[in-house]
Amino acid sequence: MPVTAFAMRQLPDELHIGKDEVLVVLARRQLAAQMKLAYLDEAEQARYHAYVFAADKQRHLLAHSLKRQILAKLLNKAPAQLKFQTNSNGKPGLSGENLQFNLSHSGDWVALAFCHTHAVGIDVEQSKPLNYLNLLPSVAHPHDDLAWQEGSAATRFIALWSMKEAVSKCAGFGLSLPFSSLRLTASGDQTYSCVLQEQHWQVRHDIWDAHHVAIALPAHSTATRIRLIELGELGELDKFSDPKALTDTAIPPA
């Protein structure tokens, strides 16, 4: 799944997804200052108030505000018209609409993925001060085949975790699926196949501003490319001051 990335200061007035693509939006946590709590529904506001730390509140507010804004643009509806439901494992979805989405947040970033044709899962992870060597067995399958087996324990763990969480979310299991039961095999160009018994997925993995980002789709998905939009403050996007430069920004290699 090749990626074409765009840097933007705000979402365009009109937003579309091709049948052969996944739309991914990355946004820095500080953009939460531009969002209003009124954008969230009652349950989302309750979760916002339940967070203790300001950073958690910011990520939650930004993720769910952008979720509503983007879905509304894609469906040409008002955000208040959108109705949501969750499956038995807590995966959110739209009621009465054939548009799939998923969201994640960690550290300085919020990540959202959207697809018309198939379920999609996304995960973003930032490194934390943990003993990753001890944690590796909890996520590693005996036959995982990574492109960088010799990397640090932290890199291997976070890469495995992000890809397997994206797969588990795509499948609708959330965190209820034992990640060590999922087997990853490198298929080139930062893309992996993932297998669980008779089920198969494809996963794209990148490292973006020191955060691991993974996008998962069913193996039979007809989506063949990812269009990524990075939202940022004016000051952060000075290097893109020429509007003609806001296209085809290469994602840094993992």
Side-chain angles (χ1 to χ4, degrees), residues 69-80:
Q69 291 180 41
I70 296 168
L71 288 170
K73 288 177 181 291
L74 291 171
L75 295 168
N76 196 26
K77 290 186 173 184

Side-chain angles (χ1 to χ4, degrees), residues 92-109:
L94 276 169
S95 300
E97 299 287 352
N98 188 26
L99 178 59
Q100 305 293 320
F101 72 91
N102 200 228
L103 59 86
S104 179
H105 45 75
S106 177
D108 293 329
W109 289 96

Side-chain angles (χ1 to χ4, degrees), residues 17-96:
I17 311 177
K19 290 185 177 181
D20 64 341
E21 70 179 7
V22 177
L23 173 65
V24 173
V25 177
L26 293 178
R28 289 187 179 275
R29 174 166 54 90
Q30 56 264 40
L31 293 182
Q34 300 178 18
M35 305 298 165
K36 299 178 181 180
L37 195 57
Y39 292 163
L40 309 188
D41 65 22
E42 186 175 342
E44 291 163 348
Q45 290 187 32
R47 290 199 295 274
Y48 172 89
H49 289 297
Y51 284 115
V52 175
F53 299 108
D56 293 323
K57 291 177 181 286
Q58 292 168 348
R59 285 186 286 262
H60 179 83
L61 174 59
L62 180 59
H64 291 279
S65 297
L66 283 177
K67 172 192 74 176
R68 289 180 178 277
Q69 291 180 41
I70 296 168
L71 288 170
K73 288 177 181 291
L74 291 171
L75 295 168
N76 196 26
K77 290 186 173 184
Q81 293 180 287
L82 302 176
K83 303 297 181 184
F84 296 91
Q85 60 189 13
T86 57
N87 69 7
S88 58
N89 291 308
K91 183 180 181 180
L94 276 169
S95 300

Side-chain angles (χ1 to χ4, degrees), residues 4-249:
T4 300
F6 303 82
M8 295 183 178
R9 294 171 175 82
Q10 61 184 25
L11 291 169
D13 291 335
E14 294 186 2
L15 199 59
H16 305 281
I17 311 177
K19 290 185 177 181
D20 64 341
E21 70 179 7
V22 177
L23 173 65
V24 173
V25 177
L26 293 178
R28 289 187 179 275
R29 174 166 54 90
Q30 56 264 40
L31 293 182
Q34 300 178 18
M35 305 298 165
K36 299 178 181 180
L37 195 57
Y39 292 163
L40 309 188
D41 65 22
E42 186 175 342
E44 291 163 348
Q45 290 187 32
R47 290 199 295 274
Y48 172 89
H49 289 297
Y51 284 115
V52 175
F53 299 108
D56 293 323
K57 291 177 181 286
Q58 292 168 348
R59 285 186 286 262
H60 179 83
L61 174 59
L62 180 59
H64 291 279
S65 297
L66 283 177
K67 172 192 74 176
R68 289 180 178 277
Q69 291 180 41
I70 296 168
L71 288 170
K73 288 177 181 291
L74 291 171
L75 295 168
N76 196 26
K77 290 186 173 184
Q81 293 180 287
L82 302 176
K83 303 297 181 184
F84 296 91
Q85 60 189 13
T86 57
N87 69 7
S88 58
N89 291 308
K91 183 180 181 180
L94 276 169
S95 300
E97 299 287 352
N98 188 26
L99 178 59
Q100 305 293 320
F101 72 91
N102 200 228
L103 59 86
S104 179
H105 45 75
S106 177
D108 293 329
W109 289 96
V110 163
L112 305 98
F114 306 85
C115 185
H116 273 303
T117 53
H118 299 284
V120 62
I122 191 165
D123 190 51
V124 57
E125 297 289 342
Q126 182 186 44
S127 180
K128 301 174 183 177
L130 300 172
N131 188 332
Y132 287 106
L133 189 60
N134 287 347
L135 293 171
L136 266 173
S138 67
V139 298
H141 185 282
H143 302 295
D144 279 331
D145 173 25
L146 301 182
W148 15 256
Q149 295 279 23
E150 303 305 317
S152 69
T155 297
R156 283 181 288 154
F157 177 90
I158 301 172
L160 287 169
W161 180 280
S162 62
M163 286 191 280
K164 294 184 179 187
E165 181 167 347
V167 166
S168 190
K169 291 167 73 176
C170 177
F173 292 115
L175 296 177
S176 65
L177 184 66
F179 287 180
S180 58
S181 65
L182 295 167
R183 177 167 59 87
L184 288 167
T185 303
S187 51
D189 192 27
Q190 297 164 241
T191 302
Y192 291 77
S193 62
C194 184
V195 177
L196 174 64
Q197 298 175 351
E198 300 302 317
Q199 301 180 74
H200 300 259
W201 298 267
Q202 54 181 315
V203 194
R204 168 84 190 202
H205 173 265
D206 293 280
I207 296 180
W208 187 270
D209 189 35
H211 288 57
H212 291 245
V213 181
I215 301 112
L217 293 166
H220 64 273
S221 171
T222 56
T224 58
R225 62 194 180 104
I226 296 169
R227 180 158 54 98
L228 186 150
I229 296 175
E230 179 190 343
L231 295 177
E233 298 280 7
L234 291 177
E236 296 171 349
L237 298 177
D238 284 343
K239 61 182 177 179
F240 301 107
S241 57
D242 179 358
K244 295 180 181 178
L246 300 183
T247 59
D248 297 327
T249 304

